[in-house]
């Protein structure tokens, strides 16, 4: 059996970029790395059993403190997500659903509801958010489970499915129809106000009706739940009758950043194992890290890990500043972090060979768990839909200086989610071209200048597509453009947070990056920068003669230089332990 699962001495990329370490998170990190805890988690996952004892261990180490409405902050909860996902996806999502489930309370709960949630958390209860119904999936507005006025309260009926904590967690926030679906034909008022959120405690009328066996996160409790005439008092309503959909939208705009942090943890966990394996697996008389192709997979993983961490961290800090108004940045992060983390895990599969597919060995966990992050909490398609709406707005956006606000995002100390999310509704998303230009001019970072040209090319193509009538009619094209934008944003976040010149301009946090990280950032900017040029060029062909060649010719010719590759290769090799014969199995 494998002995080492990860480099316990090096914090994950999210934490390295954040610099400071939180004492509760550090204690939990150490606990999850203990061999007996890892064994317990492995056994629970093999049995598909809810990891009760490990969750108790996390509670004993201060988990509840991080979740209390008068303690919870976005950077800390995202740090928790990244840290747990680096160890174990099942634990990560089981812990993470508490932040998700409590978000409506942070965002719109009354003082009494915040106090009630805190008491229940302290009493050992966990939270679940019940949105989904099997029949309607992503389209919450067709949901049927309902709450009907009954005396001084409401009577709840209907079923929710695929609920994380659906059988085990007792603090329930449920999204229920409080108005009828209306006439089948004829004009109908907006359905947006047909739903209300309720905060309730599980009782005998809240019936679990079956646990799903999931390919990823097999120890998580993903269950169905049925309300069998459950009665709740009127003061169980969160945020007002008819406000359910609005509060859920804000909730998801914040939680997307948490999922991006899960993806960051997954990428870091995969890198840990792959690096360790490549440096110790010896089949030709020296570690396989000496093989050029294996080394390249590792370099790509390291590069992706840092880009994912920077993007997820920026989303969490933007949420800290703007609350749900940072929805553009969290949607970007959710899409691109999940996608790039999947890519990082695939690169690692090439390093591990068969050992990536053996369920008794730890890498297989990342292979299966990484798939979940882009699927729940709004699928990747929904993120692209959201991002594409912003991209269209960027076409007509006039440039206003952005650096002051960027500095504010990075400099603001962590503040309560309860405060951050109760700001007036004013989405924050200045045009991408201007943000890239502002950074390039102030920092002199070449890569930021290239991003500005690429972003301008992308925005010009969107304008062409709109003029040609392609934008509104071609969802696949819109999504491809939006996906390109997310890569640009990810590289911009990397410039801001992971390059010393970017941090100096943006007043980003003091990092604890190592020399190998700096080399990996250069690798990322060359490699993924060239990918953006290719993506914009491909779009220009799709849009056709109206858009094409002129824009395509302006794009920077980018790519990895031999020096950048050599620098990272040498550092990646530096930790090689030589022919130890230890192969991780
Ligand atoms: C492990 C796990 C945990 C979960 N936890 C919870 C939880 O705690 N609470 C909860 O309420 N739910 C939870 N869910 C449910 C999850 O949020 C839904 O599965 C998800 O929202 C998508 O719904 P669906 O799978 O039915 O896909 P569908 O909505 O049926 O979509 C099918 C396909 O169509 C695509 N699609 C949908 N809409 C569009 C569009 N407008 N444009 C283009 N493509 C589109 C989707 O991306 C998808 O690829 C969980 C699911 C899993 C797997």
């Amino acid at each position: 059996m494998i002995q080492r699962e990860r480099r316990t001495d090096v914090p994950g990329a999210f934490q390295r970029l954040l610099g400071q370490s939180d004492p509760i998170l550090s204690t939990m990190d150490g606990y999850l790395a203990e061999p007996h805890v890892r064994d317990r988690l492995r056994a629970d996952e093999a049995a598909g059993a809810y990891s009760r004892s490990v969750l108790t261990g996390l509670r004993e180490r201060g988990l509840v403190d991080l979740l209390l409405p008068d303690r919870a902050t976005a950077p800390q909860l995202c740090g928790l997500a990244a840290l747990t996902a680096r160890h174990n996806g099942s634990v990560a999502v089981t812990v993470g659903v508490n932040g998700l489930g409590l978000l409506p309370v942070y965002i719109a709960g009354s003082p009494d509801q915040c106090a009630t949630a805190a008491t229940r958390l302290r009493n050992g209860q966990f939270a679940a958010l019940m949105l989904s119904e099997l029949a309607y999936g992503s389209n919450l507005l067709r949901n049927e489970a309902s709450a009907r006025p009954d005396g001084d309260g409401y009577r709840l009926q209907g079923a929710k499915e695929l609920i994380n904590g659906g059988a085990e967690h007792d603090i329930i926030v449920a999204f229920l129809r409080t108005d009828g679906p209306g006439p089948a034909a004829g004009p109908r008022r907006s359905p947006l106000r047909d739903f209300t959120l309720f905060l309730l405690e599980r009782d005998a009328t809240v019936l679990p009706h079956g646990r799903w066996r999931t390919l990823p996160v097999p120890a998580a409790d993903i269950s169905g739940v049925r309300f069998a005439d459950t009665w709740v008092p009127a003061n169980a309503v969160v945020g007002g009758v008819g406000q359910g959909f609005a509060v859920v939208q804000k909730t998801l705009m914040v939680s997307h950043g948490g999922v991006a942090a899960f993806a960051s943890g997954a990428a870091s966990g995969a890198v840990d194992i792959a690096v360790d394996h490549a440096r110790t697996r010896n089949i030709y008389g020296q570690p396989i890290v000496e093989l050029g192709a294996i080394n390249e997979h590792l370099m790509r993983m390291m590069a992706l890990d840092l880009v994912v961490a920077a993007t997820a961290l920026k989303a969490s800090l933007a949420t800290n500043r703007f609350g749900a108004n940072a929805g553009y940045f969290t949607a970007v992060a959710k899409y691109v972090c999940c996608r790039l983390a999947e890519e990082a895990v695939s690169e690692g599969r090439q390093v591990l060979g068969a050992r990536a597919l053996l369920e008794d060995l730890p890498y297989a966990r990342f292979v299966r768990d990484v798939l979940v992050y882009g699927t729940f909490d709004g699928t990747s398609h929904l993120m692209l839909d959201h991002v594409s709406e912003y991209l269209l707005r960027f076409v007509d956006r006039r440039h206003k200086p952005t650096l002051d606000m960027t500095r504010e995002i990075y400099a603001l100390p962590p503040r309560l989610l309860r405060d951050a999310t109760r700001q007036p509704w004013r989405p924050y998303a200045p045009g991408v071209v201007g943000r890239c230009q502002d950074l390039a001019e102030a920092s002199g970072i070449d890569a930021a200048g290239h991003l500005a040209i690429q972003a301008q090319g992308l925005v010009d193509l969107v304008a062409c597509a709109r003029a040609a009538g392609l934008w509104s009619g071609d969802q696949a094209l819109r999504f491809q453009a939006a996906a390109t934008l997310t890569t640009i944003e990810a590289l911009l976040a990397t410039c801001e947070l992971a390059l010393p010149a970017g941090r100096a301009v943006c007043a980003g946090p003091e990092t604890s990056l190592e020399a190998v990280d700096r080399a990996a950032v250069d690798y990322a900017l060359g490699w993924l920068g060239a990918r953006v040029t290719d993506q914009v060029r491909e779009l220009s062909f799709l849009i056709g003669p109206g858009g094409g060649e002129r824009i395509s010719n302006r794009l920077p010719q980018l790519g990895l230089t031999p020096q950048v590759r050599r620098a990272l290769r040498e550092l990646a090799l530096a930790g090689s332990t030589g022919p130890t014969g230890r192969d991780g199995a």
Side-chain angles (χ1 to χ4, degrees):
M1 276 310 119
I2 194 111
Q3 296 305 312
R4 279 174 62 182
E5 295 217 356
R6 44 163 294 209
R7 300 173 290 168
T8 47
D9 47 334
V10 183
F14 189 96
Q15 202 59 47
R16 297 204 295 287
L17 279 174
L18 189 57
Q20 345 108 11
S21 71
D22 177 289
I24 296 180
L25 293 184
S26 301
T27 309
M28 292 204 276
D29 196 21
Y31 171 68
L32 289 171
E34 287 174 22
H36 75 95
V37 176
R38 292 205 312 248
D39 289 347
R40 181 71 261 156
L41 289 173
R42 225 183 346 252
D44 287 341
E45 291 202 314
Y50 185 78
S51 292
R52 216 171 300 284
S53 67
V54 174
L55 294 164
T56 302
L58 290 172
R59 274 201 199 94
E60 287 166 0
R61 285 158 182 81
L63 171 60
V64 166
D65 281 359
L66 304 180
L67 299 168
L68 296 172
D70 60 3
R71 288 286 301 273
T73 70
Q76 213 174 19
L77 288 185
C78 289
L80 174 67
L83 180 150
T84 46
R86 186 183 177 207
H87 288 279
N88 184 287
S90 297
V91 164
V93 304
T94 303
V95 167
V97 77
N98 288 289
L100 173 69
L102 292 167
L103 267 171
V105 178
Y106 304 146
I107 291 170
S110 65
D112 277 354
Q113 286 171 334
C114 289
T116 304
T119 306
R120 292 181 190 162
L121 280 168
R122 287 201 184 92
N123 289 344
Q125 295 185 1
F126 271 168
L129 181 63
M130 303 192 177
L131 306 178
S132 298
E133 296 181 18
L134 220 45
Y136 305 117
S138 306
N139 188 1
L140 297 180
L141 292 176
R142 289 186 68 196
N143 280 359
E144 290 179 3
S146 65
R148 300 286 166 227
D150 182 1
D152 295 339
Y154 291 82
R155 191 69 66 185
L156 278 43
Q157 280 171 331
K160 296 288 178 182
E161 275 297 348
L162 298 177
I163 303 303
N164 187 355
E168 298 282 349
H169 296 189
D170 296 324
I171 306 172
I172 294 172
V173 175
F175 175 74
L176 297 164
R177 181 177 285 281
T178 38
D179 208 343
R188 166 152 159 58
R189 64 181 184 75
S190 162
L192 301 181
R193 294 177 67 87
D194 285 355
F195 295 87
T196 302
L197 280 169
F198 293 85
L199 171 66
L200 59 141
E201 193 168 8
R202 186 185 294 277
D203 67 15
T205 64
V206 180
L207 306 171
H209 69 92
R211 165 113 179 250
W212 292 87
R213 288 177 59 221
T214 51
L215 172 71
V217 297
D221 160 33
I222 310 299
S223 297
V225 178
R226 193 161 59 80
F227 297 109
D229 279 336
T230 305
W231 187 83
V232 296
N235 66 8
V237 169
V238 180
V241 175
Q243 291 301 309
F245 190 68
V247 178
V248 164
Q249 276 188 308
K250 286 187 178 176
T251 296
L252 295 176
M253 284 178 192
V254 173
S255 65
H256 295 155
V259 180
F262 282 146
S264 172
S268 293
V271 170
D272 295 337
I273 296 172
V275 166
D276 199 39
H277 185 74
R279 286 175 177 175
T280 54
R281 172 74 169 153
N282 180 344
I283 48 179
Y284 297 113
Q286 53 189 339
I288 58 170
V289 70
E290 307 274 349
L291 300 173
I294 296 293
N295 201 281
E296 198 79 25
H297 292 306
L298 286 184
M299 294 199 281
R300 290 189 192 140
M301 289 183 88
M302 290 171 172
L304 291 166
D305 187 22
L306 277 163
V307 173
V308 172
T311 314
L313 179 56
K314 178 172 180 176
S316 81
L317 298 175
T319 301
N320 185 53
R321 169 62 185 82
F322 296 108
N325 287 317
Y328 166 71
F329 291 96
T330 57
V332 160
K334 183 173 188 291
Y335 175 79
V336 77
C337 293
C338 295
R339 179 48 75 90
L340 296 183
E342 285 177 20
E343 190 174 343
V345 171
S346 296
E347 293 286 346
R349 274 198 291 117
Q350 318 292 320
V351 175
L352 274 286
R355 284 163 177 74
L357 304 178
L358 303 181
E359 291 230 36
D360 291 331
L361 300 183
Y363 200 82
R365 256 198 343 253
F366 291 93
V367 173
R368 56 170 210 234
D369 290 350
V370 77
L371 301 175
V372 82
Y373 305 126
T375 305
F376 65 12
D377 199 66
T379 65
S380 290
H381 289 125
L382 298 193
M383 296 308 108
L384 290 177
D385 199 37
H386 194 55
V387 172
S388 69
E389 285 171 21
Y390 279 96
L391 178 52
L392 186 62
R393 283 180 225 163
F394 291 163
V395 172
D396 301 316
R397 191 142 296 176
R398 298 237 324 270
H399 179 56
K400 290 190 203 142
T402 58
L403 274 185
D404 284 348
M405 197 52 94
T406 306
R407 288 190 185 108
E408 218 178 297
I409 291 173
Y410 289 128
L412 192 71
R415 60 172 169 162
L416 295 183
L417 264 167
R418 213 168 65 176
D419 296 335
T421 56
R422 292 185 188 222
Q423 305 179 55
W425 181 238
R426 262 186 78 194
Y428 176 74
V432 62
V433 179
R435 281 182 287 118
C436 295
Q437 275 169 350
D438 287 350
L439 181 68
E441 281 165 21
S443 68
I445 296 172
D446 287 344
H450 297 145
L451 287 172
I453 298 168
Q454 291 166 322
Q456 186 65 63
L458 178 63
V459 168
D460 290 349
L461 282 172
V462 173
C464 293
R466 183 174 66 176
L470 287 172
W471 185 257
S472 54
D474 190 339
Q475 189 188 54
L477 178 89
R478 282 203 307 275
F479 283 14
Q480 200 167 327
T484 305
L485 173 61
T486 66
T487 313
I488 293 173
E489 291 285 5
L491 295 180
L492 180 62
T494 306
C495 291
E496 289 168 352
L497 276 161
L499 288 178
R503 276 208 328 279
V505 166
C506 299
E510 270 308 310
T511 69
S512 52
L513 292 182
E514 303 166 347
V516 66
D517 291 323
R518 297 193 198 293
V521 168
D522 290 341
Y523 186 104
L525 293 171
W527 174 46
L528 297 177
R531 180 182 291 182
V532 172
T533 291
D534 289 346
Q535 288 171 341
V536 178
R537 192 163 284 142
E538 194 184 325
L539 273 168
S540 75
F541 288 121
L542 283 180
I543 289 167
E549 252 171 55
R550 192 173 36 83
I551 291 167
S552 194
N553 289 341
R554 280 202 323 249
L555 295 171
Q557 298 298 322
L558 296 175
L560 266 177
T561 63
Q563 299 89 314
V564 166
R565 264 178 97 212
R566 204 175 312 120
L568 181 56
R569 170 161 297 164
E570 278 163 16
L571 286 159
L573 282 169
S576 171
T577 52
T580 62
R582 184 162 62 84
D583 64 6

